[in-house]
Every structure is written in C-alpha cells, then in structure tokens.
Amino acid sequence: MTEGERGAIGDLAIRLEQAVGARAILTEAGERERYLVEERGLFRGEAGIVIVPESAADLAKAVEICAAAGVGMVPQGGNTGLVGGSVTTEAEVLVSFRRMNRIRAVDPTNFTITVEAGAILADVQAAAAERGCFFPLSLGAEGSCTIGGNIASNAGGIGVLKYGNTRDLTLGLEVVLPDGRIWDGMRPLHKDNSGYSLKNLFVGSEGSLGFVTAAVMKLFPRREQIQTAYCALPSTKAALELLALARRRSGDEVTAFELMSEFSLSIVCAHAGGQRPLADPSPWYALIELSTSRPGEDLRPTFEGLLEEAFETGLVTDAVVAETIDQGQRLWRLREGIPEAQKRAGGSIKHDISVPVSAVPTFIAEASRAVEAYMPGIHVCAFGHVGDGNVHYNLTQPDGMDKAAFLAHWDAVNHIVHEIATGLNGSISAEHGVGLLKVEEIDRYRSAVEQSLMRSIKTALDPRAVMNPGKTVALGISSGAR
Amino acid sequence: MTEGERGAIGDLAIRLEQAVGARAILTEAGERERYLVEERGLFRGEAGIVIVPESAADLAKAVEICAAAGVGMVPQGGNTGLVGGSVTTEAEVLVSFRRMNRIRAVDPTNFTITVEAGAILADVQAAAAERGCFFPLSLGAEGSCTIGGNIASNAGGIGVLKYGNTRDLTLGLEVVLPDGRIWDGMRPLHKDNSGYSLKNLFVGSEGSLGFVTAAVMKLFPRREQIQTAYCALPSTKAALELLALARRRSGDEVTAFELMSEFSLSIVCAHAGGQRPLADPSPWYALIELSTSRPGEDLRPTFEGLLEEAFETGLVTDAVVAETIDQGQRLWRLREGIPEAQKRAGGSIKHDISVPVSAVPTFIAEASRAVEAYMPGIHVCAFGHVGDGNVHYNLTQPDGMDKAAFLAHWDAVNHIVHEIATGLNGSISAEHGVGLLKVEEIDRYRSAVEQSLMRSIKTALDPRAVMNPGKTVALGISSGAR
C-alpha cells in the first residue's frame, strides 16, 4: 500500500466511524485476525478496515460512503466458505454480519422463520424446532456458518434431495444495494408473481450484487422418525438403482443418499476414529436416511423391505440399519469425518462437480480412468450427495509422494476432471459456489452468451463494481470463451 | 396504422419470410384469428404479423431482424393466460410456439423431462406418466396451455403446496435473447452454483427478457394412491388449523388444500352441474387431497383419523371422503366449476392475491367487510389455494344489478382489495402474473427501489425494449411510487 492509499483508508475510517459508530469498526490486529484468516490456509485476507454493523440502516450508510469513494466491500458471515468468497485485499472494507444475528420471528402457521443475516445456521434450526417445525438446511459448518452466508452461496448440504437447496428455502430478502439503498423484499409469501424474481438474483450471488441483511425462510413439519442405513454396493450404477428403488418404495421419503468410496471409508477408519460398520470391504457404500413427519409411523419395515429387494437383485451386498439414534449418528460420522481424514491422509485435490444423476457412474468411471492414467497410484476419495448428482470428487496423493509435489498438479488435475464433468453437461461448482477460487475457471467454461449475460447483470446492478469485487463474475473477457 | 407503417410491416414480412420460411408466416385473417382473440374478451389483439417458427434457430433469426428494426415481439403459448400477457398491437409481431412442441427426452433416473416450449402441459404430464414418473404442475387450462407459457408466467395451480410452482420445477432453459442470440442453459442439473441464476430471471418474466424455447423440468416418483375429501368448516381460521393438522398427521402428504366459500359452492350447484356433497350448508368448505407414491400404502385410515380429530375439536362440522376415483373427481369438479359458474352468475370482479398463510382469515374478513360496505349485496365468491396463502378473492354482482353497471366498479373494488392485501404484506399477483392487466397497478405498489431494480434488469437485458413491450414492468416512472 502506498502512503497515499494509507491516507485514503484513514479518511474513510473516520467517515465510516461517524456512520456506524466506533464500536462497529475494528482496528486492533488481534480483533481483526479472525476475519482475515481462512481455515484451510488457501487464502489470507488483508482488509484495510473491518466493520461489524448492528443494523441494515447502519450498513446502508457505510455502503453509501464506500461506494461514493469507489472502495470495494466484502461481506463475511461465519467465514466458513470453501471458495474464498469473503477474502479481502488491503484496499477493501470487510463487512462482518456477526452482530446482526437475531431470530426475529417464527410463524408455525405460515411455516416461515424471519432471521437476520448473521444468525448462525444451528440457531435457526433450533428456533424452528422450538416451535415444532423443521428447517432442513444442514451442512458440516452449521455450528458456525451464518444464514446470510448460506443465502449468498446458495448452500446445498445433505437435505437437498427432498427439501431443495437454500434458494428453494428462501421466500423473502432484505438487501443493501451497491449504492446504499435498501431493498425490502421481506414478503413471507409462498406465491408471488409480481415481476422479475429479484430474490433469486441475490441468492447465490455471493454478495456481488448487494449484501443480504435479513431473510424469510421456509419451514416444514417436524420430523417424527429418522432411520439410517449403511449399505455396501458393487458399483455406482447399483447406487443409482438403489436410490430410485428407495425413492419409489419409501414414497419419496429419502432425505439423504450419500455415496462413499472404499478409499474414503478406509481413511476415516485410519485417521478419523471411524469403525467399519460392515465386515467386508466393498468398492462403494451408500449412507441412506429415510425420515417421516407422520406421528407414529415406523419406517423400519419399509427400510428393511427395500433393502431386502435390493439384496435379492444384487444392488446391495451387505447393509446395516441403525438400531438406535446413537448408532445412526455413528454412521453419519463416517460420512462427516471424510474432510478431516483427508487432511491427515496427505495432500488432496478437491472438486465439487455435479452431473445429471443418471451420468454419475459414467463421470466417476471416466474421471478415475483419466486421473489414474495421469498419475498412477492416485487415490479416488469420491463421496457426496449422489441423489442430486453432486459428487465431491476428491483425490488423495499417492502413498509416499511429497505433498507439495502432489499439490503442484492441482490445476492440471482440475482441468482433467472439469473437462469430463462439463462434457457430461455438468457443473464444476455444484454447491460451494464460485468466489475467488473458481472465478476464472468457471468463466472459461461459460459460453460467450452466458458470459455476457452475467456481466450485463453485474454491471446493471453494481456499475462501480464495489460489491465483493473480483468474485463470482470475471469482468474481463476470458480468452477461453467457447 | 399509417400508410408508412403498413409499408414497413410489409418489408418486415418479406425479410421474416426469408428467415423462417413462408409456412411459418400466417397472413390469412382466418388463420390468424385464434392468436388474436382472448377467450374472456378482456383484450383483443391486432398483430401486424403472426409467425409460427419450427425451431429456436429460426426464431433467433426472426428476433434478430425484428430487433434491428425496433419492432416489438409478443410470445404466445396456448393463449390461455389471464392477464393479457400475449396480447399484441398491430405494430408488433406475434410469435406462436405451437410448432415447437416436441417432448425431447424423459430420464427417469435423473427424474427430468426435456421439452420444447410449445408442448401442451397435459402432454408433458402424459409423457412423464408413461415412464413411471409424475409431473406435478396441474391447472385448469392444462389441456391447451403450453409449458413455455407456464414457465413465462411461473404458473402455480393446485400442486404448489407440496411440489412448488413452475419455477421450482424448472432445471434448465434455452432462451432466444432480445438481440437474437440463443442462451443454452439446458443443464439437467439438480445443483449448480456457478454464477447468477439466469434461469430464475427468465422464469416468470413473461417473455419480457427473452423467449423460452425449451426447458428441462423436474419429475417425481409416480403417485400410487390419491385420497380426496370435502369438509364443511365453521371459519377460515378453522381451515388453517385443519391444514396444519393435515400436514402434521399425514407426514406432509397434503398435495392440495382448496378453500371454497358457501356462495362459490352454491353457484356451482346452480349453474355448473354441481351437487352438494354434504347435507347442510356451511360458511366454508375445504377440498383436501392426500397422495402418496409409496406402493401399497393406504392413506384412508390416516385421512379418517385426522378428520375425526378435526371433528372432535370443532375444526370440521361435516366431511365426506371419496370412496372411488370417480367420486373424488366429482368433488374436484365442484372446485373446478367455479370459473364457469361465475360467468353464468353475472358480472365478476376478480383478484389473485396472496398473503402469509397465517393472515388469510384476516384478509378475507377485512376485504369482505370493506367490499360489502362499498356495495351492499355483493357476493364473496372466494376460493383458492389456501395452503399457499393464495386466494382468488372474486366478487359476484348483487342480485338483480346490471352487469355493466357492476363492472364499472372494477378499478374501485380492485383498489379496496389490493390495499388490504398489500397492507398484510401480500401480493396482488400470486400466480397469474402481471401481463398487461396489472402492469400499472403492480408498479404503483412497488417501492421506488424495487421499481428501479426491475427497470435496471429490463434495460440491461432488453435495451431496445422489443421483447413483449409494455408487459410485466412499466418503463415510465409511476407517480404512485411509495
């Protein structure tokens, strides 16, 4: 930063302090650190100023000041994103939503909850449960991620198969726009066809069109019973047939269907305290959850019946249905332990692709053939929400290889995997979003028409490009456009 | 039309014929009539040219020619819309999608169907059913409306409570843009977070940002059993409590929950061949449908159990559960006969409002008090999808009043009802859309911020304002902005 830039930041801090109050500006290095560090160490932020406003009105004043000065602003919820969406540069202002975290209302008759953007996801779930309702968004970071971050990134998680992603759960929004105006779209309506769907433009836009400050989210009747099973499968094709069978036989009560490769189970057992739930190893496993909100219904006979049919037709070679809630949670920990186990198993190159559900077996087969040809000994640690066609096609380094040497292949391996996914009409960002990590790569895969549509929208709503600059949509023309 | 305008239309017709072929341009008055007449007689179109292209590529050429000439284009599906969205002026080109009506593919594993915009809704339902799947969009006009029209208007219908509206069912789109480029967004993906949700911008935009030419839609497992009941209710508050009870006790298998007033039932019986399903009249009725896709499941005991509880707690005073499919269909015809019965019962002033579900009783009470005070003897013919908060709050003329004299109060009555709905945080277009009918009225209820966001988007995507001009978004500044 030059002397002049430093002076400009100082002037801005004074004006922002007048707008939002001294308490809302963090100046101590110690206070600021939590906002700048990214857990996985892929990025390191450097915000010139960190503000923690207490209301949309205060934030709006701050945004107006920054916009007038042409200073970029970066929103941050729980700082748990996986694509660097809330990473700042030192010329930018970081806006944390930690102090705007109230649950404003729960309406069990309208099946809605009204929340501020900084509310922690687990707190939203708990507030819904207290009133006999169920908020289905659920993901690994739920103890610290915020609903505003979930909305900005259109978070997916484990319940998408039945309940949809965050977009499907969002009914109304309040947004501070790039010029400091506030859009009040907090309508708690299940149906509204009165013009363009502004709400859907902001959901998933990663703060690059405006900052979400509050939302009305959809709720569901409380779940009365949850049944979990862990199954050994001969192939990914069998997984798809088992999923279709489970949807049909359960009356579409499959709330999760998670695929795991043998390698992913083996490292959870080796490095993350997992215990094999079935005697013999199998190429693939599925963690299946059925649940019902019908009081007194027992899903166990349904589950056993469908597994029996699956067994007879060879879709499943072994299976265990959890006898207790505790046993069900242990099965879930096998799935949830994968990221931790991967960290301990050496270097990982990660992907968040989706393809049509019917193309999952082809994708996994082709990608595995290609990466194994590129690097013999590489381990396929694929897992994910196969019911949505979303595979976390992660790769772990060959045994004994140097970690840094392996990670040097990140871009090349990404390229191999992404070419195969997009060739199958897939996406290279199914649920984690674009952020900083994929902004160039995704732009390359967009058609020229799609690039220009994305840019038209960004420019129409944020003509000075001050909202989360450089994220989501590349404003330069990518040379790789096809 | 002046001589010069007529000449310009003639030149345009020649160029369009070169682009799309002679067969795709209709010149005979007889051929054109069906595209210009609106069934209810609220509007009469006058298109200078009617084209019926056979492919997106042909349409794209036509759009490029019209856009370059600054000529407005109006899309039309089955011509069944209720807000004049496909009404043309004589200086405009009407684009019919009747010849782009193929079902391209059904993928039962991915639970998707790929269709062209002009496919008839009932044909889409049938193609899904043939492959053991269920396409849940269902509405009165399904025998003639098109999926492209459903997408353009984000159609609702009777299954929204469980399956969502058309937006929720749309995975991918192909769109001819205002300059004649084609956006290929036909990704059959259940999850895709790779930038702004362009798809959601086009859904519900009524062709004002581009014309949808094809789509990938979501399917569900086939329904194995449907149970229907007709219940007498003492109040609208009881209806809401009954709905919540039904959702809880059925495990959220309520696929329809339609409210009817006594007046609406009485006119269906008087004018549309209905027969009272229950002995005594009641202020309100609910038509409830439970359905399951679980083979062998019998919902009847569940239905009877919940009605028994409702009976004991006074939520329901009488009820009949259909014994046969035929009897269930007869119950449905009571609901479906309302529009026809209304036509025969004299003049009607109609509304398509939504409010939070919990505010439905307040809305109906306040609106009824207000319209009865305004015009003693007016009949409240309210009915609708109360589970979504969507009430067709229709009003029938007082007995013996002159029809034209009654209809002269249209705007004044609209104003009374819309003020109450928006005062409850509601929408004045829940499912029918904006079109021409409500473009001014809706604009008045938008905040200045929302007006400017809508206009920014329209201007960014359609800078020459050639796509369905004058519909959806008013481009002038409305004086009533609040």
Side-chain angles (χ1 to χ4, degrees), chain A residues 173-222:
Chain A
L173 288 181
E174 179 188 74
V175 179
V176 172
L177 300 175
D179 56 5
R181 291 178 303 167
I182 297 175
W183 173 57
D184 177 1
M186 290 287 279
R187 285 181 284 265
L189 301 178
H190 293 272
K191 264 173 152 179
D192 181 17
N193 273 351
S194 57
Y196 305 139
S197 182
L198 300 175
K199 164 188 89 186
N200 279 301
L201 203 48
F202 293 112
V203 175
S205 70
E206 303 182 330
S208 69
L209 302 175
F211 295 168
V212 171
T213 49
V216 184
M217 310 299 291
K218 223 170 167 174
L219 300 178
F220 293 84
R222 177 178 63 198

Side-chain angles (χ1 to χ4, degrees), chain B residues 344-420:
Chain B
R344 300 197 187 165
S348 295
I349 299 177
K350 300 190 173 187
H351 304 90
D352 169 35
I353 69 94
S354 63
V355 292
V357 176
S358 43
V360 167
T362 306
F363 166 76
I364 291 181
E366 286 189 13
S368 301
R369 205 156 34 228
V371 296
E372 281 157 10
Y374 175 80
M375 187 185 289
I378 198 167
H379 295 290
V380 174
C381 186
F383 64 96
H385 325 292
V386 74
D388 320 315
N390 177 193
V391 182
H392 296 303
Y393 188 78
N394 293 357
L395 298 159
T396 295
Q397 63 175 66
D399 301 337
M401 188 173 180
D402 176 66
K403 184 175 169 181
F406 175 69
L407 293 179
H409 293 272
W410 188 293
D411 288 348
V413 172
N414 273 185
H415 184 74
I416 291 170
V417 173
H418 290 168
E419 284 290 312
I420 292 167

Side-chain angles (χ1 to χ4, degrees), chain A residues 218-293:
Chain A
K218 223 170 167 174
L219 300 178
F220 293 84
R222 177 178 63 198
R223 299 195 296 173
E224 299 286 339
Q225 197 196 43
I226 299 168
Q227 291 278 1
T228 313
Y230 202 87
C231 312
L233 314 169
S235 66
T236 52
K237 196 164 164 293
L240 289 197
E241 290 178 35
L242 178 61
L243 169 64
L245 179 73
R247 286 190 69 177
R248 267 202 324 275
R249 294 228 7 184
S250 72
D252 222 6
E253 296 284 27
V254 183
T255 39
F257 193 101
E258 300 283 313
L259 188 71
M260 288 177 67
S261 69
E262 163 59 25
F263 180 77
S264 69
L265 178 64
S266 74
I267 60 170
V268 170
C269 295
H271 301 295
Q275 290 198 317
R276 284 194 175 267
L278 303 169
D280 297 320
S282 167
W284 296 96
Y285 303 93
L287 177 69
I288 310 176
E289 182 186 276
L290 301 188
S291 63
T292 178
S293 54

Side-chain angles (χ1 to χ4, degrees), chain A residues 36-224:
Chain A
L36 306 180
V37 172
E38 196 242 11
E39 201 201 332
R40 295 179 307 169
L42 284 182
F43 302 100
R44 158 84 205 178
E46 285 300 342
I49 298 174
V50 175
I51 65 172
V52 192
E54 289 185 33
S55 70
D58 280 2
L59 173 60
K61 284 186 274 178
V63 168
E64 190 181 352
I65 291 166
C66 290
V71 172
M73 292 158 275
V74 178
Q76 190 176 92
N79 195 15
T80 61
L82 296 174
V83 290
S86 63
V87 172
T88 45
T89 68
E90 55 185 342
E92 292 169 341
V93 172
L94 189 150
V95 178
S96 166
F97 286 87
R98 284 184 196 268
R99 286 191 187 144
M100 295 171 63
N101 62 356
R102 285 188 314 145
I103 310 283
R104 288 188 193 159
V106 180
D107 180 344
T109 306
N110 196 39
F111 283 96
T112 49
I113 187 166
T114 306
V115 294
E116 293 181 354
I120 303 291
L121 174 53
D123 294 341
V124 179
Q125 294 166 346
E130 255 174 46
R131 301 294 300 275
C133 294
F134 175 53
F135 184 61
L137 185 64
S138 175
L139 42 92
E142 63 194 28
S144 51
C145 68
T146 64
I147 192 72
N150 301 145
I151 292 166
S153 60
N154 185 28
I158 55 171
V160 176
L161 183 58
K162 183 163 171 76
Y163 297 100
N165 50 27
T166 304
R167 180 186 309 287
D168 300 304
L169 304 174
T170 305
L171 295 181
L173 288 181
E174 179 188 74
V175 179
V176 172
L177 300 175
D179 56 5
R181 291 178 303 167
I182 297 175
W183 173 57
D184 177 1
M186 290 287 279
R187 285 181 284 265
L189 301 178
H190 293 272
K191 264 173 152 179
D192 181 17
N193 273 351
S194 57
Y196 305 139
S197 182
L198 300 175
K199 164 188 89 186
N200 279 301
L201 203 48
F202 293 112
V203 175
S205 70
E206 303 182 330
S208 69
L209 302 175
F211 295 168
V212 171
T213 49
V216 184
M217 310 299 291
K218 223 170 167 174
L219 300 178
F220 293 84
R222 177 178 63 198
R223 299 195 296 173
E224 299 286 339

